Amino acid sequence: MKDMTPETEITLDDAIKFLWSEADILDRNDFDAWLPLWHGGHYIIPIGDEVTDFANNLNIVYDDAQMRKARAARLSGGFSISAAPPARTVRTLSRFVFTEEAPGAVTIRSALHVIEDKFGRQRMFAANVEHKLIATENGIRITQKVVRLLNSDGMLTSISYLF
Amino acid sequence: MTLDHFPQGPQDASYAPLVKGDRVATPMYEDPAIFDVEMEKIFGKTWVWVGHESEVPDKGNFKLSVVGTQPVIISHDRKGALHVLVNRCRHRAATVCEIKKGKTSSFQCPYHGWGYALDGSLRGVPYTEGYNTDFDKKDYGLKKLKVETYQGMIFASFNMDVEPLEDFLGNAKPWIDLFMKQGGGFPVKTLGEHQFKVPMNWKIQLENTTDAYHFPVVHKSFMQSLDGEATQQFSFLEDDDGWVEDLGNGHSVMVMMPELNDLDDNLDAPIPERFQALAETLRADYDEDQVRRIVRAVGGCGFNLNLFPNAACSLSFFRILRPVSVNETEIRHIALGMDGGPEAANQMRMRLHEHFQGPMGFGSPDDAEVWERVQRGSAGGGDLDVMVNRGKGLEETSENGLPKGDISAETGMRAAYAKWQEMMA
Ligand code: FES
Ligand SMILES: [Fe+2]
């Protein structure tokens, strides 16, 4: 990885490589690798397409750093029947677009498809994902991630992995 | 052959003997014919929870819901009355509304344009001249259900001769009254909901609402995510002050934290550590009595109240089940808050709800997993029974003259199955 400072421009290529590596980490349920990708901020799966005031609405997930850590511990601790073992997942992230660009900070929107398998039955999810990324001396970090699932305000299923 | 001698279909079989007191027969989870009869004899006959008044607060508001497997619309008409209408055009059956929730002055069918008022009456028919003179719009209103409310909860029934709602709720009423105290002095309103479907029979969820026995096993990873004080609170299986009580009519209550049954009590008790920051925020706008009342309400009640056949007032939220087919059930976890109450308090209630409930909570996915496992397991050993005998023979008699077991007793399940048996006879 190239050297970075908080002022370094994040190119589309940098951002895509980062998101693909995050996707690979999540398909491997490697939460020890996932948590350090963050720099504060919230991991959010809202209900409904329009919501922007996440704190004042009910979400599917609204995790600050502490909740992310607790969630990772739950999913990897071996005491959660739904996550021991979890459904296996294969995901694809594509259709990347920068929606905001500033020195050392970008917002990138992408399309996510996830297929999970458990008990031999497969389920499919699709989402629009928005990452806010910053450049730091340690490389790119996430300051906010919003996963807008299709049918987020409809009937879903239980989910024991991360998007 | 006259109609009197028409062959009797399987719907005339009585399934009542499948409930055997302390156990139930496996086909109750597995047999699609039983499911069909349940939809007719239970969901087609009794009071079914459809919504909360805060979901349709104003005139013109509507919300889609379901009674059994039938799509309905809850509508709040111009005069303030609530209606529950089958979402099916009386012409050739198209749904007249597919918007989940909103405000309107009428429902218009998209197929040939029949228009219905908020009370379901048919108002407009395009090109009426194509109908004979004996066509009367009065005969073609949307099909209506009987509607009654209790403490803001809206119930509907296809049975026009059903007993009054308050009689049906009976001994559950005082518990509902206690549950609604979590408004903390404000009216209770819905704050959104989590929805997920599980490949299981609906009665597996019905059983679970008063199942304390599973909690330390299934929810271990949730417990591990709590601070010391909260862990203490959820260790109700180790304490011996909780209980489960049959309330009659299929209803039951499981009391996990008796000290939280009445949220107006113990207002002088020290504020738990995890609520201290909230209390400090509230002190800017409220006096100390109000702060204590609101903070105590934020944590929710200490019990799960199961209302046969499809609703529960569970600690701090509504848990609603919707049977879809013999092995598919949809679950809604509706978050509740304080209407007009402090933003910080409602935020905390939503964060607590997100922590346990819903598709990605720290609790519900583990519930969903074991429920699916019950359905998968009951594909085997169809001659074996499902045991709900825990606590049987150890029960006391409650003030209502009904069985009362210890916290982990399966008393609530037996109560629900006794009602099932009565209605399926
Ligand atoms: S089906 Fe509704 S108007 Fe024809
Ligand atoms: Fe549970």
Side-chain angles (χ1 to χ4, degrees), chain B residues 208 214-215 218-219 356 367:
Chain B
N208 181 262
H214 84 290
F215 203 92
V218 171
H219 299 307
F356 191 98
D367 281 321

Side-chain angles (χ1 to χ4, degrees), chain A residues 45 47 55-59 62 71 74 79-82 118-119 121 153-157 159 161, chain B residues 100 193-197 220-221 224 330 343 347 350-351 354 359-360 362 365-366 368-369 372:
Chain A
I45 305 184
I47 297 174
N56 282 309
N57 279 280
L58 184 74
N59 303 286
Y62 184 79
R71 189 177 294 277
R74 184 182 109 78
F79 293 105
S80 155
I81 180 71
S82 61
K118 188 161 197 178
F119 301 139
R121 55 142 172 74
D153 64 347
M155 203 50 72
L156 299 169
T157 54
I159 296 156
Y161 47 87
Chain B
K100 287 168 186 162
E193 61 184 296
H194 290 138
Q195 306 182 65
F196 58 103
K197 62 173 173 251
K220 195 177 179 85
S221 73
Q224 288 168 336
E330 295 181 348
E343 186 173 276
Q347 280 187 3
M350 289 189 283
R351 298 298 89 83
E354 288 157 356
M360 293 181 77
F362 286 25
D366 294 327
E369 178 94 0
E372 183 171 2

Side-chain angles (χ1 to χ4, degrees), chain B residues 5-81:
Chain B
H5 298 101
F6 201 77
Q8 307 273 296
Q11 65 270 29
D12 292 310
S14 170
Y15 290 113
L18 296 179
V19 171
K20 310 166 194 176
D22 66 348
R23 64 195 67 202
V24 300
T26 300
M28 291 178 61
Y29 294 163
E30 290 284 327
D31 185 346
I34 296 178
F35 181 87
D36 292 345
V37 177
E38 288 173 337
M39 290 310 105
E40 179 199 325
K41 291 192 171 180
I42 297 175
F43 286 85
K45 288 273 156 46
T46 190
W47 288 107
V48 174
W49 194 102
V50 291
H52 187 261
E53 283 176 342
S54 65
E55 297 177 296
V56 285
D58 300 319
K59 295 175 180 176
N61 281 157
F62 67 87
K63 170 135 199 334
L64 300 185
S65 188
V66 192
V67 175
T69 55
Q70 303 195 41
V72 300
I73 309 170
I74 309 168
S75 93
H76 188 154
D77 77 15
R78 301 259 147 227
K79 292 179 196 133

Side-chain angles (χ1 to χ4, degrees), chain B residues 89 91-94 109 111-114:
Chain B
C89 179
H91 177 219
R92 293 221 304 275
C109 179
Y111 200 176
H112 312 93
W114 286 23

